[in-house]
Amino acid sequence: MSARYLTLRSDGAVWETELSQEIAAALATLPDDPSLYFDLGEAHLFIPLDQLVNARMRERGIVNANRHMQTASKCNQGKRKPLTVRALGNGLWLVVDGNSTLINARHSNWRAVPCNTG
């Protein structure tokens, strides 16, 4: 079964979609330890995945993010900054930067990811 997640449609509505089986099969499962993948040196907050809404989905970007996250977990180089989000209301946050990274976290059943609202 592939991951289901919230995404923003072009008309502004939030709806649930599903990651394709083909893309899901291409992704390695990543341990739920954000410090392996993110530079946590700056201010950030951890937001539960069920409160995050993807602004877009690029299949190639998802696979590339998975590879980058695997590499980052093996050394301190190449870690990404926390996701950039903005409030949508009703306790939801739109991911402005980091959509492919978020989909990888969803695929790996993480609880929360580091985010900044800047």
Side-chain angles (χ1 to χ4, degrees), residues 63-99:
V63 173
N64 287 341
N66 188 268
R67 289 185 192 129
H68 180 77
M69 293 170 80
Q70 288 179 65
T71 301
S73 72
K74 295 174 182 159
C75 63
N76 286 333
Q77 295 180 0
K79 291 185 179 183
R80 70 160 289 140
K81 292 187 181 288
L83 307 184
T84 302
V85 299
R86 71 172 169 83
L88 279 176
N90 297 329
L92 297 176
W93 297 86
L94 179 67
V95 177
V96 176
D97 180 47
N99 284 277

Side-chain angles (χ1 to χ4, degrees), residues 23-117:
I23 295 299
L27 303 178
T29 301
L30 304 166
D32 185 359
D33 181 356
S35 69
L36 294 173
Y37 318 100
F38 292 92
D39 176 358
L40 301 176
E42 296 180 19
H44 62 276
L45 43 116
F46 280 91
I47 299 177
L49 298 188
D50 63 357
Q51 294 178 9
L52 294 168
V53 176
N54 281 88
R56 65 171 190 234
M57 184 193 86
R58 294 179 309 114
E59 291 182 356
R60 184 173 166 208
I62 296 165
V63 173
N64 287 341
N66 188 268
R67 289 185 192 129
H68 180 77
M69 293 170 80
Q70 288 179 65
T71 301
S73 72
K74 295 174 182 159
C75 63
N76 286 333
Q77 295 180 0
K79 291 185 179 183
R80 70 160 289 140
K81 292 187 181 288
L83 307 184
T84 302
V85 299
R86 71 172 169 83
L88 279 176
N90 297 329
L92 297 176
W93 297 86
L94 179 67
V95 177
V96 176
D97 180 47
N99 284 277
S100 295
T101 301
L102 174 58
I103 291 175
N104 275 278
R106 292 186 192 285
H107 174 75
S108 296
N109 295 312
W110 290 12
R111 294 177 308 269
V113 291
C115 299
N116 71 51
T117 58

